[in-house]
Amino acid sequence: MPELQLLRPDHAPALLAFEIENRAYFAASVPDRGDDYFANFAARHEALLAEQGAGLILFHVLVGDDGDVLGRVNLVDVSDGTADLGYRIAEKATGRGLATTGVRQVCDLAVTTYGLTTLRAAAALDNAGSRAVLERTGFVLTGETLLDGRPGITYVLDLRQRR
């Protein structure tokens, strides 16, 4: 089973490989990161680590036995006990429960380590897999939204019920 790790500087090469390898796969269900993301990856990685050091974001990677990044589970806009959850799993690793496991682990960390009380998430209406992960991990549907022009569903998880 892959290990969930807080993002570190040495994850950069494996994380970039993960993003490149899965770019087309991810773009089918979430907005593409754009060419600039890949061209300036090293600087972006350093900037994210600085934001993480300031407590504004908490990025995690699911690392396989061979050191490959198989997924990401991130908490962004961390403030006043809340954060937004986002995640993505490599195409080659789908169907193994990694998203559900990773989200559960990050939810546990949100309570035990990060002191958060509420997580928010959203998924495209046509992304049944992502919606199923959120529902399996206790997120409750709260409404509708647009995600880059696509219909989406919003969710919330009250972490105080997990203690």
Side-chain angles (χ1 to χ4, degrees), residues 96-118:
R96 301 186 340 206
L98 294 184
T100 300
T101 298
V103 168
R104 282 188 178 131
Q105 289 176 343
V106 165
C107 289
D108 289 343
L109 286 171
V111 172
T112 62
T113 304
Y114 308 139
L116 300 177
T117 58
T118 305

Side-chain angles (χ1 to χ4, degrees), residues 6-12 42-57 59:
L6 189 63
L7 186 65
R8 303 184 310 255
D10 63 312
H11 287 129
R44 174 126 171 86
H45 189 72
E46 285 181 29
L48 291 175
L49 290 170
E51 283 186 69
Q52 184 165 273
L56 304 173
I57 60 172
F59 278 22

Side-chain angles (χ1 to χ4, degrees), residues 100-160:
T100 300
T101 298
V103 168
R104 282 188 178 131
Q105 289 176 343
V106 165
C107 289
D108 289 343
L109 286 171
V111 172
T112 62
T113 304
Y114 308 139
L116 300 177
T117 58
T118 305
L119 296 181
R120 296 174 302 265
L125 190 59
D126 62 356
N127 191 340
S130 188
R131 290 176 41 221
V133 167
L134 292 170
E135 291 165 13
R136 270 195 299 274
T137 55
F139 281 79
V140 177
L141 188 135
T142 57
E144 298 176 0
T145 191
L146 286 177
L147 300 170
D148 286 327
R150 296 172 56 194
I153 303 290
T154 58
Y155 294 85
V156 70
L157 176 63
D158 183 345
L159 295 168
R160 293 169 290 203

Side-chain angles (χ1 to χ4, degrees), residues 3-16 41-42 45-46 48-50 52 58-61 63 67 69 72 74:
E3 179 183 357
L4 184 75
Q5 300 175 4
L6 189 63
L7 186 65
R8 303 184 310 255
D10 63 312
H11 287 129
L15 183 57
L16 178 58
F41 184 84
H45 189 72
E46 285 181 29
L48 291 175
L49 290 170
Q52 184 165 273
L58 297 158
F59 278 22
H60 304 84
V61 289
V63 179
V69 170
R72 302 178 75 156
N74 301 324

